[in-house]
Amino acid sequence: MGFFDSDIVQQEAKQLFEDYQALIKLGSSYGKFDREGKKLFIEQMEAMMDRYRVFMKRFELSEDFMAQMTMEQLKTQLGQFGVTPQQMFDQMHLTLQRMKTELENQP
């Protein structure tokens, strides 16, 4: 069975994409959130990044040709911006850490 033939992989990919889209949409109102809302949003984004990292690791470790091609396409797309997948995760982590620091420094 191919990597993408798995119902579990398909469902997880769909759920990950839908959850990410919902968080991004919600994030457009981040400035209007109260302190607890901002804290919750940051926590949800951290959890999303963890889920995404695990999902991508499955691609990386899979011997399935399509999974390997998907990873190569992602690396190529990110490479066009001068970024590796690890750098993308590192940057997102830094951004979330800055958001936490800003939140802690608010009166």
Side-chain angles (χ1 to χ4, degrees):
M1 176 189 296
F3 188 80
F4 293 103
D5 294 333
S6 165
D7 288 340
I8 294 169
V9 170
Q10 289 178 22
Q11 181 58 37
E12 191 169 344
K14 180 179 181 284
Q15 193 63 55
L16 191 59
F17 179 76
E18 288 173 358
D19 292 350
Y20 180 75
Q21 292 297 321
L23 266 178
I24 294 302
K25 185 177 180 182
L26 184 64
S28 66
S29 299
Y30 181 81
K32 298 175 186 174
F33 297 165
D34 64 9
R35 184 178 183 83
E36 287 304 309
K38 288 178 180 179
K39 188 175 172 183
L40 184 58
F41 178 80
I42 293 168
E43 289 170 2
Q44 288 178 347
M45 280 302 292
E46 287 175 327
M48 174 64 60
M49 288 295 104
D50 287 344
R51 286 174 55 203
Y52 191 50
R53 187 186 312 268
V54 168
F55 194 73
M56 283 189 53
K57 195 59 153 174
R58 288 183 181 155
F59 278 95
E60 233 178 272
L61 297 175
S62 175
E63 295 178 8
D64 181 75
F65 177 75
M66 290 306 294
Q68 291 297 315
M69 287 299 296
T70 300
M71 273 308 295
E72 286 306 313
Q73 287 175 341
L74 177 64
K75 288 177 183 177
T76 299
Q77 289 170 349
L78 290 173
Q80 292 174 348
F81 298 101
V83 178
T84 66
Q86 185 59 50
Q87 289 170 322
M88 175 189 72
F89 284 116
D90 291 346
Q91 187 59 46
M92 190 63 193
H93 177 73
L94 284 174
T95 298
L96 291 170
Q97 289 306 312
R98 274 193 294 258
M99 290 169 75
K100 280 183 182 179
T101 301
E102 286 176 13
L103 192 57
E104 290 169 1
N105 294 333
Q106 283 182 350

